[in-house]
Amino acid sequence: MGLFDQILGAVANPNQQGSLGQLGSIVNTVQQLSDRTGTDPSTIQSVLSIVGSQVRSALQQKQATDGNEAAQSLVNQYAGTSPNPQAVNSLFSPQIQQQVAQVAAGRTGLDAGMVQQLLPLAVPLVLNFLQSGANAQNPQAGGNSVLNSFLDADGDGDVDIADAIQMASRYMQR
């Protein structure tokens, strides 16, 4: 799995922002979301996968129109483990938010309204994962291996946030 390998590489590299603490807080937030919504973690991971796919499209569009630095800047500005409606609004139009909620509801069985309520936490969580590859001293510097892998510069399509979260969870339980 290329994306998770990039994340582990960022955790092991002192020059990148990734850390076991960061992975742990992401995994814990997924668990808290699961508890709060009364669903199993795999359902939340499915929602994050759908959200991640849309984040990927938005960041690819940002990268294409404004360059790598603009995509990295969005990641740096909105990554976190706290709800941030601004993160959602900066990446998705209201129509896209509705569409993501409908798709996630259809695939997970969660209510679309519930999914819409999860977006302000799901988007920063996805971005937090992506931030792990940023330069520790200068986050705006290029070369975020995790973000580049997520945006899939080589076009092979092998990217999934849910898989990465699941692997991070297993990795943290070792």
Side-chain angles (χ1 to χ4, degrees), residues 96-168:
I96 297 291
Q97 293 175 38
Q98 198 87 38
Q99 185 182 350
V100 170
Q102 293 298 329
V103 169
R107 288 201 200 147
T108 63
L110 287 175
D111 178 68
M114 164 87 70
V115 174
Q116 196 123 24
Q117 290 175 18
L118 293 175
L119 287 179
L121 190 50
V123 170
L125 261 185
V126 170
L127 296 176
N128 197 353
F129 242 120
L130 301 179
Q131 191 178 33
S132 64
N135 182 303
Q137 275 67 49
N138 180 6
Q140 273 310 115
N144 179 334
S145 58
V146 176
L147 179 60
N148 292 340
S149 179
F150 182 70
L151 296 178
D152 198 25
D154 65 358
D156 73 356
D158 181 30
V159 174
D160 191 332
I161 285 289
D163 290 344
I165 290 172
Q166 202 169 43
M167 293 174 100

Side-chain angles (χ1 to χ4, degrees), residues 75-98:
V75 170
N76 292 340
Q77 185 174 0
Y78 296 114
T81 55
S82 300
N84 188 342
Q86 241 184 326
V88 180
N89 294 329
S90 72
L91 287 172
F92 306 150
S93 69
Q95 295 85 352
I96 297 291
Q97 293 175 38
Q98 198 87 38

Side-chain angles (χ1 to χ4, degrees), residues 11-65:
V11 166
N13 184 338
N15 296 320
Q16 290 181 300
Q17 289 187 12
S19 69
L20 288 178
Q22 180 188 27
L23 281 183
S25 90
I26 292 169
V27 169
N28 287 339
T29 303
V30 169
Q31 186 59 53
Q32 289 168 3
L33 273 176
S34 171
D35 294 345
R36 198 178 313 152
T37 58
T39 60
D40 58 292
S42 65
T43 301
I44 297 300
Q45 289 170 8
S46 294
V47 170
L48 289 172
S49 178
I50 293 160
V51 169
S53 159
Q54 197 60 51
V55 165
R56 181 174 166 212
S57 294
L59 288 174
Q60 284 172 328
Q61 191 172 0
K62 186 73 171 166
Q63 182 185 43
T65 57

